[in-house]
Amino acid sequence: QVQLVESGGGLVQAGGSLRLSCTASGSIFSIGTMGWYRQAPGKQRELVATITSGGNTNYADSLKGRFTISRDNAKNTVYLQMNSLIPEDTAVYYCNAAVSTTVLPRVANYWGQGTQVTVSS
């Protein structure tokens, strides 16, 4: 199976920065698109950003310019650099990856357990 483990969340003051990391491990054959999503209390989970294995990125329009997604394919890791944080960024941030494993010859979506980001005003 595949596990995604996020780290880097925490409490930060408005205007501050955080860097989230997510590393995939397990019976991995290849990883396609990786991404970050977030879910605030009482709201639906929403896209933050995605990045393909080739480095093409896609962002939620409202987050362009403040958040940057990147990845290290050799480490099976995706990062999310978050700058100029505002209280509205408070949410649980989830990592997602499209992975084909050495066990099953198909791509499946995997999710991390989530990491809490809290931005105080």
Side-chain angles (χ1 to χ4, degrees):
Q1 273 292 358
V2 175
Q3 298 81 38
L4 300 181
V5 179
E6 300 114 332
S7 62
L11 174 64
V12 64
Q13 287 189 332
S17 299
L18 282 175
R19 189 193 194 206
L20 306 183
S21 300
C22 171
T23 299
S25 63
S27 305
I28 296 170
F29 178 73
S30 68
I31 303 177
T33 298
M34 303 183 80
W36 290 94
Y37 293 74
R38 69 184 185 183
Q39 187 166 18
K43 295 188 177 181
Q44 290 188 332
R45 191 173 297 188
E46 63 177 1
L47 168 73
V48 174
T50 61
I51 184 168
T52 67
S53 58
N56 292 318
T57 59
N58 178 54
Y59 293 91
D61 287 342
S62 62
L63 301 177
K64 288 179 181 177
R66 294 195 298 121
F67 288 14
T68 302
I69 191 170
S70 60
R71 66 190 281 173
D72 184 333
N73 290 332
K75 296 181 179 179
N76 291 337
T77 298
V78 63
Y79 306 97
L80 184 68
Q81 178 66 43
M82 304 185 293
N83 298 327
S84 302
L85 285 161
I86 59 177
E88 289 74 18
D89 294 320
T90 295
V92 178
Y93 285 70
Y94 295 93
C95 172
N96 174 269
V99 181
S100 61
T101 69
T102 57
V103 177
L104 292 175
R106 64 175 177 85
V107 175
N109 262 315
Y110 292 88
W111 291 90
Q113 80 287 354
T115 185
Q116 177 70 46
V117 171
T118 302
V119 184
S120 63
S121 56

